[in-house]
Amino acid sequence: MPKQRISLRMIKDVIRLKWHAKLSHEQVATALKISKGAVAKYVSVASRPSTVAVVS
């Protein structure tokens, strides 16, 4: 069975909570009901220099 995709809205929420609210990976994961690994993955991808992330 394929993995369920995470929505763009959820990715934006991960970045917003991590960078703007300065929450830990665990706090973000708990707040959004996703795994800490998913939080780490999306923060890592958004932190890459070639990635442009717009969070409003």
Side-chain angles (χ1 to χ4, degrees):
M1 184 172 203
K3 292 182 189 175
Q4 184 177 2
R5 290 188 175 204
I6 190 167
S7 70
L8 183 57
R9 174 68 184 182
M10 181 72 73
I11 295 169
K12 287 181 177 182
D13 287 342
V14 167
I15 301 307
R16 180 179 53 81
L17 291 172
K18 184 65 184 166
W19 289 345
H20 295 280
K22 302 195 186 309
L23 298 181
S24 69
H25 282 40
E26 187 171 355
Q27 290 170 317
V28 173
T30 300
L32 299 176
K33 295 181 176 54
I34 59 175
S35 71
K36 288 184 281 186
V39 173
K41 176 183 173 182
Y42 294 115
V43 169
S44 171
V45 169
S47 297
R48 291 183 191 160
S50 63
T51 303
V52 177
V54 178
V55 180
S56 53

